[in-house]
């Protein structure tokens, strides 16, 4: 996680000072590669962990295997090449009674330059490491070390040792030395604390400068724990203050009220519904209807399990707006999903979506599609329908954001799978309205409460947890890719479904065999998983899998189609239509079918190299089957399961086994967040920046987030524009300048 300047406000220029003006050029370059380029960056480059300092031990009392701290004077130092070609730097120290050898190896002599510079004859230093033995003599190999003076001897050597993120160019000890260099001249008056004094006192938190000193140079374990507690609270407090402020600002804007209308389109639609809404759908629908009727703009997040019926809830909200003479725009992340939404909305509305056509209902509106790959004539007509108001509902992709797109009266913006859009894109669509439009954000990825508070804290949240009647259960099994009999059975199940008039998806992570492997997954174990997968076999590709399945005896005579992002819009539509109709009952695809695709006859989902996908993504894919009357089957194929898996594969195996054990999306979401890197949780993949949350963890720190939010609400109630708290205001501004607004502005 790359540190970003800067979370505190500088009264001078100390924190903005470039590290290259304070440190050796090589050290500054190495730190810049890790992230820090200024003093402020480096102070916020927190240790990853702390290690027990060990016991200060006399050289004559050492025991092999003990972790120790020893102190001595360098008596001899020499460098040479080993028989294996490595560089070796050997130091002998003495304490006046005994001697001991310290040994350092490196592939290149330059890597030992710092050691040779510091550990010269006559230097007094302490060394920390585990006692080993070579040719009968005890020694420390690659110990941590630091030159000391007598005044620091008894104190510094026994402090907890901070361990920092490091690289081949700079180790943890060198990072610690650089941090100590910039901490030295730091005094309380040089940094304004974003946490007001009364907030610190109420929650028993350290002042900022003291916390920065103790997080880097703790004297005891209690020191760094107290420092991290304060810094963690600060992260939560700064974020929550901005979220609470944004919610208040949004509530103060003026939107056009869109109350329900008797005898209108919504009433006609409800009368024709062929099913009964669930209790959850009715409750959320009432919430949306009430908020749309107000002049305060609706700002609501609608989350729901796969298949929980979010689309019909959103459509009813859109129809209420259309009944009041307004328009609704539905923004989807892909053309496949946009086309699917168009088809679904038109099918649900029937003749209520045929305004301007023969046979249209009296209350009918038009639903139109706008994408980037439409033929020019079709696109011109869609633009005209949006501008004139002829289209009450406009469904589109990023093409909706174009300068040419205008609306007659945009009253509601619905964003599906919102995490795929940046804040500027959502803002662009909202600016196409004469007044502030109401906003409904939808996601099929269950969001635990702490994430909702941290990432969507300026939105009200509604949740659909019930699955409508008629949805069939989905059974999930993990399939070892290295067992031929299991794979043969997998393809037989696909063939059986196809011949029974059902449909089957086969998902692969790549499009073409020559494509590079996708980047490592969002999990910390990705490098190990990726390396293991590469050694076992290349990742599956859509093109290669389709060819292999065409030659599979069990699938002889079964139509096999392809669907991926490089196909033209026409080719995608044709492939999906062939699949939906049953002309081609097996569809080999990338994750382009992950969300929104609804084929009731689809009963089998096979995901190849499933360990390369995230839990939420696999849960979404699984939701594509079992959408009709027939039960669904999801087969997660992976080479990291079975007898040959290693310890490195354990996290991936745990993910797959969790999916096999439960279909509870909220339970899976919790596991997902426990394994994921924090930046991904907060949307870094969408914003293009790393998360600035370094200590706060949304899966672990719910109590901190709740407490910080309450403190932020109290402060803003008394000082809504933060005029009495300039340090806090500037801390928020610094984060927004660094790109944090992409995490915050979800409205």
């Amino acid at each position: 996680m790359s540190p970003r300047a800067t979370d505190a406000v500088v009264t001078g220029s100390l924190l903005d000072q470039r590290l290259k003006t304070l440190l050796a050029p090589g050290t500054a370059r190495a730190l810049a590669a890790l992230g820090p380029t200024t003093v402020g960056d480096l102070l916020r480059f927190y240790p990853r962990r702390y290690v027990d300092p060990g016991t200060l031990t006399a050289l004559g009392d050492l025991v092999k295997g003990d972790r120790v701290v020893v102190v001595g004077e360098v008596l001899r130092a020499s460098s040479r090449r080993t028989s294996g070609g490595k560089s070796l730097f050997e130091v002998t120290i003495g304490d006046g009674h005994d001697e001991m050898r310290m040994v350092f190896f490196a592939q290149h002599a330059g890597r030992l330059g710092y050691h040779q510079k510091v550990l010269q004859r006559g230097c007094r230093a302490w060394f920390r490491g585990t006692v080993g033995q070579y040719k009968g003599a005890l020694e420390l190999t690659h110990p941590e070390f630091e030159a000391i003076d007598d005044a620091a001897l008894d104190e510094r050597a026994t402090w907890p040792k901070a361990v920092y993120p490091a690289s081949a160019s700079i180790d943890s000890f060198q990072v610690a030395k650089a941090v100590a260099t910039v901490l030295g001249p730091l005094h309380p008056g040089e940094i304004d604390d974003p946490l007001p004094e009364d907030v610190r006192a109420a929650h028993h938190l350290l002042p900022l400068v003291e916390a920065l000193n103790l997080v880097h140079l703790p004297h005891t374990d209690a020191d760094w724990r107290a420092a991290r507690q304060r810094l963690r609270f600060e992260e939560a407090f700064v974020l929550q203050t901005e979220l609470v402020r944004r919610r208040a600002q949004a509530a103060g804007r003026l939107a056009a009220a869109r109350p329900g209308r008797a005898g209108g389109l919504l009433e006609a639609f409800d009368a024709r519904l062929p099913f009964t809404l669930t209790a959850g759908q009715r409750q959320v629908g009432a919430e949306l209807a009430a908020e749309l009727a107000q002049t305060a703009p609706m700002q609501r997040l609608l989350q729901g399990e796969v298949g929980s019926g979010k689309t019909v809830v959103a459509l009813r909200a859109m129809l209420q707006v259309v009944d009041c003479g307004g328009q609704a725009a539905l923004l989807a992340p892909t053309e496949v999903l946009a086309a699917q939404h168009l088809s679904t909305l038109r099918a649900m509305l029937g003749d209520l979506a045929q305004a301007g056509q023969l046979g249209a209902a009296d209350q009918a509106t038009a639903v139109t599609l706008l994408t980037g790959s439409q033929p020019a004539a079709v696109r011109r007509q869609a633009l005209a329908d949006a501008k004139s108001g002829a289209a009450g509902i406009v469904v589109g992709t990023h093409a909706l954001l174009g300068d040419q797109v205008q609306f007659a009266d945009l009253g509601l913006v619905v964003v599906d799978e919102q995490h795929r859009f940046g804040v500027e894109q959502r803002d662009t669509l909202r600016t196409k309205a004469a007044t502030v439009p109401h906003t409904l954000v939808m996601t099929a990825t269950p969001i635990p409460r702490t994430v909702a508070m941290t990432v969507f804290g300026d939105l009200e949240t509604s949740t659909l947890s019930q699955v409508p009647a008629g949805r069939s259960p989905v059974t999930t099994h993990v399939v070892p890719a290295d067992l031929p009999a299991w794979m043969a059975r997998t393809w037989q199940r696909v063939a059986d479904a196809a011949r029974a008039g059902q449909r089957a998806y086969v998902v692969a992570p790549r499009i073409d065999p020559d494509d590079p492997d996708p980047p490592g997954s969002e999990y910390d174990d990705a490098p190990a998983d990726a390396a293991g997968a590469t050694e076992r076999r290349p990742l599956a590709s859509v093109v290669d899998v389709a060819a292999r399945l065409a030659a599979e005896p069990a699938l002889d005579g079964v139509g096999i189609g392809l669907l991926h992002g490089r196909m033209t819009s026409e080719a995608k539509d044709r492939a999906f239509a062939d699949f939906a109709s049953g002309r081609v009952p097996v569809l080999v695809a990338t994750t382009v079918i992950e969300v929104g695709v609804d084929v009731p006859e689809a009963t089998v989902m096979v995901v190849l190299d499933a360990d390369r996908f995230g839990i939420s993504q696999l849960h979404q894919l699984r939701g594509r089957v079992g959408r009709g009357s027939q039960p669904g089957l999801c087969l997660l194929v992976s080479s990291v399961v079975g007898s040959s898996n290693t310890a490195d594969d354990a996290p991936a195996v745990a993910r797959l086994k969790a999916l096999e054990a439960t279909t509870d999306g909220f339970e899976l979401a919790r596991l997902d967040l426990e394994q994921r890197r924090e930046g991904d949780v907060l949307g870094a993949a969408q914003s293009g920046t790393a998360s600035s949350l370094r200590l706060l963890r949304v899966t672990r720190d719910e109590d901190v987030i709740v407490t910080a939010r309450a403190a932020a609400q109290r402060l803003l109630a008394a000082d809504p524009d933060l005029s009495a708290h300039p340090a806090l205001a500037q801390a928020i501004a610094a984060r927004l300048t660094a790109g944090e607004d992409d995490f915050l502005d979800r409205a």
Side-chain angles (χ1 to χ4, degrees):
M1 207 178 290
S2 300
R4 189 177 299 277
T6 166
D7 307 296
V9 182
V10 190
T11 58
S13 59
L14 174 63
L15 297 190
D16 291 328
Q17 191 167 351
R18 309 293 292 183
L19 292 176
K20 63 184 180 181
T21 66
L22 297 173
L23 306 174
T27 300
R29 284 194 300 270
L31 284 170
L34 291 175
T37 59
T38 68
V39 169
D41 292 342
L42 189 55
L43 291 175
R44 297 287 185 165
F45 193 63
Y46 302 133
R48 296 174 59 182
R49 58 189 175 89
Y50 301 86
V51 297
D52 178 23
T55 304
L56 187 60
T57 309
L59 296 183
D61 297 332
L62 299 176
V63 176
K64 181 182 177 182
D66 285 352
R67 181 167 179 79
V68 298
V69 176
V70 296
V71 175
E73 180 181 336
V74 176
L75 304 177
R76 295 179 295 277
S78 62
S79 300
R80 61 182 176 86
R81 304 287 292 184
T82 68
S83 58
K86 292 184 177 181
S87 294
L88 180 148
F89 179 54
E90 180 178 326
V91 173
T92 301
I93 67 168
D95 62 3
H97 301 283
D98 300 284
E99 296 184 2
M100 185 179 187
R101 191 174 74 147
M102 310 289 159
V103 182
F104 304 89
F105 292 95
Q107 195 67 41
H108 304 290
R111 297 280 174 85
L112 298 175
Y114 176 79
H115 302 65
Q116 295 167 342
K117 178 181 178 181
V118 173
L119 299 177
Q120 297 183 10
R121 183 178 178 182
C123 167
R124 187 167 175 78
W126 59 258
F127 302 80
R128 178 188 286 113
T130 301
V131 180
Q133 191 170 21
Y134 178 71
K135 293 185 176 180
L138 299 179
E139 66 178 17
L140 296 183
T141 303
H142 288 291
E144 300 170 33
F145 66 92
E146 183 175 359
I148 59 175
D149 55 40
D150 289 339
L153 173 59
D154 294 330
E155 184 181 10
R156 292 286 299 274
T158 56
W159 290 357
K161 183 67 173 177
V163 179
Y164 292 87
S167 69
S169 301
I170 186 168
D171 61 26
S172 174
F173 176 72
Q174 291 169 289
V175 174
K177 291 285 288 184
V179 170
T181 299
V182 300
L183 270 177
L186 189 63
H187 301 292
E190 293 177 295
I191 304 180
D192 291 334
D193 197 331
L195 287 185
E197 186 175 353
D198 58 339
V199 173
R200 292 201 313 269
H203 300 286
H204 310 289
L205 301 171
L206 298 173
L208 178 57
V209 171
E210 184 178 353
L212 289 173
N213 272 282
L214 293 182
V215 79
H216 291 293
L217 294 174
H219 300 184
T220 65
D221 284 347
D223 286 345
W224 63 259
R225 293 184 192 279
R228 288 168 72 101
Q229 179 184 2
R230 179 252 142 76
L231 297 168
R232 186 180 296 116
F233 185 93
E234 179 191 324
E235 290 179 358
F237 183 76
V238 171
L239 282 175
Q240 292 302 326
T241 300
E242 179 62 7
L243 288 169
V244 172
R245 186 169 64 165
R246 289 187 179 208
R247 175 175 286 190
Q249 289 172 343
R253 299 187 185 115
L254 189 64
R258 312 283 180 171
R261 181 171 66 85
L265 187 55
L266 174 57
E267 191 173 288
F269 173 73
D270 283 346
R272 300 182 184 198
L273 272 178
F275 54 84
T276 301
L277 295 173
T278 66
Q281 288 173 319
R282 291 194 298 272
Q283 177 184 341
V284 173
E287 290 174 345
L288 300 186
E291 291 185 349
L292 289 172
Q294 305 300 315
T295 55
M298 179 177 74
Q299 305 264 93
R300 187 162 288 275
L301 167 69
L302 174 58
Q303 61 173 338
E305 274 282 18
V306 174
S308 60
K310 294 182 298 299
T311 302
V312 70
V313 171
L315 176 56
R316 295 183 71 251
M318 289 189 276
L319 294 179
Q320 179 171 325
V321 170
V322 174
D323 275 340
C324 293
Q327 294 169 284
L330 173 55
L331 181 61
T334 67
E335 289 195 358
V336 169
L337 182 53
Q340 181 69 30
H341 275 311
L342 178 74
S343 176
T344 299
L345 296 182
R346 285 179 172 174
M348 294 173 106
L349 289 167
D351 61 357
L352 294 173
Q354 297 175 358
Q357 303 178 38
L358 289 176
D362 292 339
Q363 308 97 325
T365 187
V367 182
T368 194
L369 177 69
L370 184 63
T371 68
S373 62
Q374 288 175 311
V378 175
R379 179 178 172 81
R380 279 196 300 271
Q381 185 61 52
L383 290 170
D385 289 345
K387 183 176 181 179
S388 68
I393 299 175
V394 181
V395 181
T397 57
H398 296 74
L400 282 176
L401 311 176
D403 293 338
Q404 292 180 312
V405 181
Q406 299 178 45
F407 292 87
D409 182 12
L410 181 59
L412 173 63
V413 173
V414 180
V415 183
D416 194 17
E417 294 304 315
Q418 66 76 39
H419 57 278
R420 301 190 181 198
F421 295 96
V423 59
E424 291 182 3
Q425 296 167 322
R426 298 191 295 275
D427 279 342
T428 298
L429 185 54
R430 289 200 299 270
T431 60
K432 296 179 181 295
T435 58
V436 177
H438 300 280
T439 303
L440 178 64
V441 167
M442 298 196 301
T443 178
T445 302
I447 301 171
R449 177 170 178 258
T450 49
V451 179
M453 290 179 62
T454 305
V455 185
F456 304 100
D458 53 348
L459 300 179
E460 298 289 346
T461 302
S462 295
T463 301
L464 290 174
S465 55
Q466 291 176 284
V467 176
R471 284 299 302 267
S472 301
V474 179
T475 302
T476 304
H477 296 292
V478 178
V479 177
D482 297 325
L483 298 182
W486 286 59
M487 291 305 302
R489 181 59 181 152
T490 295
W491 304 131
Q492 186 62 56
R493 293 298 295 270
V494 170
D496 291 346
R499 294 193 173 99
Q502 300 164 16
R503 315 284 187 273
Y505 298 100
V506 179
V507 175
R510 295 192 298 179
I511 296 176
D512 191 270
D514 294 330
D515 290 340
D517 284 353
S521 75
E522 67 265 41
Y523 297 92
D524 287 330
D525 60 288
D529 283 350
T534 302
E535 291 171 3
R536 281 184 279 267
R537 62 164 60 87
L539 294 181
S541 66
V542 168
V543 173
D544 193 30
V545 169
R548 285 195 285 116
L549 294 187
E552 182 70 33
L555 289 163
D556 186 33
V558 175
I560 298 170
L562 284 81
L563 183 65
H564 57 74
R566 293 183 193 157
M567 297 167 62
T568 65
S569 181
E570 294 80 4
K572 291 176 187 174
D573 292 343
R574 187 166 55 251
F576 192 75
D578 287 345
F579 177 69
S581 69
R583 288 190 295 271
V584 179
V586 178
L587 186 64
V588 183
T590 58
T591 55
V592 70
I593 55 98
E594 176 187 346
V595 291
V597 174
D598 188 0
V599 179
E601 297 81 8
T603 59
V604 178
M605 167 68 67
V606 179
V607 184
L608 302 174
D609 293 308
D611 52 281
R612 293 307 303 272
F613 299 94
I615 289 176
S616 295
Q617 195 169 35
L618 291 172
H619 186 55
Q620 291 278 7
L621 289 169
R622 175 168 60 183
R624 299 309 102 205
V625 298
R627 303 179 75 85
S629 59
Q630 296 293 319
L633 174 67
C634 179
L635 301 175
L636 305 176
V637 179
S638 172
S639 59
V640 305
V641 295
S643 58
S644 61
N645 63 308
T646 67
D648 288 337
D649 298 323
V653 173
R655 294 197 293 273
L656 300 180
K657 292 298 184 181
L659 283 149
E660 188 177 46
T662 183
T663 57
D664 184 334
F666 286 90
E667 181 179 338
L668 292 171
R670 282 190 292 272
L671 176 62
D672 194 20
L673 291 174
E674 288 170 2
Q675 289 198 342
R676 282 216 250 175
R677 292 190 294 265
E678 196 75 14
D680 297 315
V681 172
L682 296 175
Q686 287 73 49
S687 71
T689 63
S691 167
S692 72
L693 296 186
R694 297 150 202 167
L695 297 177
L696 189 72
R697 295 293 177 266
V698 295
T699 56
R700 178 197 63 201
D701 297 324
E702 179 175 354
D703 58 335
V704 177
I705 295 169
V706 170
T707 303
R709 187 172 184 84
Q713 289 170 332
R714 288 191 296 270
L715 182 143
L716 288 169
D719 184 19
D721 60 1
L722 298 180
S723 58
H725 299 88
L728 175 58
Q730 291 182 49
I732 293 171
R735 284 193 168 176
L736 300 186
T737 301
E740 187 81 351
D741 51 340
D742 279 359
F743 302 144
L744 294 177
D745 194 346
R746 303 294 175 170

